[in-house]
Amino acid sequence: MFADPTTEPTDETLLRQMAGGDEAALLELHRRYVRLLSALGYRMLRQREDVDACVQDAFFNAWRHAGRFDPSRARAKTWLVSIAHHRFLQHLRDRPDVALELEDWDTPTPAPDHEGRLLAGRALGVLDPAQRELIELAYYRGHSHSELAALTGLPLGTVKSRLRSALERMRGALHTGKGEHPL
C-alpha cells in the first residue's frame, strides 16, 4: 500500500486514522498483522475456519474501538494481539465439549504460516520447560492465572511472576534489531 517504507505511517498513526473512519488505515493494519494474528489463532484453535472468523472479529473490534487506543498504555501491535487473543479465548470457552468424529481426525489440516511458526518457535525456544508450559497453558489453552496455580500447584503470585518473566524473555528473543519488539 505504501511504496516508500520511510514514509509509511506508524501503527499508532493508522489507529488514529481508523478512529476517524479511514478504511485504508484498517486495510494497512490488516496487511501488517493478519499473518501474526492467524498464527496465534491457529496455535490456539487448530481449525482454520474458527481462526479466520476470530481474526475477522478482532479486526472488526479494533475498527469499532480504535478511538479507545491509548499509545501510553501499549503499542498498537500489542493492542491488536490482545484483542485477537481475547477473541480466541472466548471462542475456546464457547466451544462445546464434544469428541471429534473419526472423519475429523483424518481431515487434512491447512499448511501453517511458516513465518509465524518461526517467530513463535524462536520466542518459545528461549524459555525453560516450566516457563514454556505456563505460556502454552495460559495463552494457547486459555487457562486463567488461578487455574494455572491449581494445575501446577504453584502459588498464584509465582504463576504471575513466572508468566511475566517468560513474556519478557520472549520479547527479548524477538527483538527485530530496529529498537522494536514484535510483541
Side-chain angles (χ1 to χ4, degrees):
M1 174 176 266
F2 297 96
D4 181 5
T6 60
T7 61
E8 282 189 10
T10 65
D11 295 342
E12 290 73 16
T13 299
L14 291 171
L15 278 172
R16 281 193 302 276
Q17 291 171 347
M18 274 176 44
D22 185 347
E23 291 181 21
L26 171 63
L27 290 173
E28 178 60 16
L29 279 174
H30 184 273
R31 183 193 66 77
R32 291 180 186 183
Y33 295 110
V34 69
R35 291 180 69 191
L36 173 68
L37 299 183
S38 295
L40 174 64
Y42 189 74
R43 177 79 189 246
M44 292 176 72
L45 303 178
R46 306 253 189 241
Q47 295 178 353
R48 180 60 57 195
E49 298 82 21
D50 294 344
V51 171
D52 291 344
C54 287
V55 168
Q56 181 178 351
D57 287 349
F59 278 106
F60 179 72
N61 286 335
W63 170 260
R64 284 189 11 223
H65 302 292
R68 295 183 187 172
F69 173 70
D70 181 357
S72 69
R73 294 187 56 168
R75 292 181 47 223
K77 180 187 237 179
T78 304
W79 188 72
L80 288 169
V81 167
S82 178
I83 290 171
H85 185 253
H86 284 101
R87 182 62 193 99
F88 300 143
L89 288 176
Q90 188 60 49
H91 188 80
L92 280 173
R93 290 181 185 117
D94 292 346
R95 273 186 180 167
D97 289 331
V98 293
L100 290 175
E101 297 295 325
L102 181 58
E103 298 83 36
D104 292 334
W105 285 100
D106 292 336
T107 303
T109 57
D113 172 17
H114 296 292
E115 182 181 350
R117 287 184 66 93
L118 287 172
L119 288 173
R122 183 184 331 156
L124 289 171
V126 301
L127 302 178
D128 61 50
Q131 288 176 316
R132 188 175 306 119
E133 178 186 24
L134 283 175
I135 290 292
E136 288 181 359
L137 288 171
Y139 292 95
Y140 299 135
R141 298 289 168 235
H143 292 288
S144 68
H145 290 154
S146 57
E147 290 171 333
L148 290 173
L151 284 169
T152 62
L154 296 170
L156 181 60
T158 302
V159 166
K160 290 180 179 183
S161 63
R162 286 187 182 175
L163 278 172
R164 190 177 318 108
S165 173
L167 289 172
E168 288 171 6
R169 287 184 73 189
M170 291 172 73
R171 282 185 191 103
L174 293 175
H175 191 281
T176 62
K178 297 178 185 174
E180 298 179 6
H181 299 283
L183 295 177

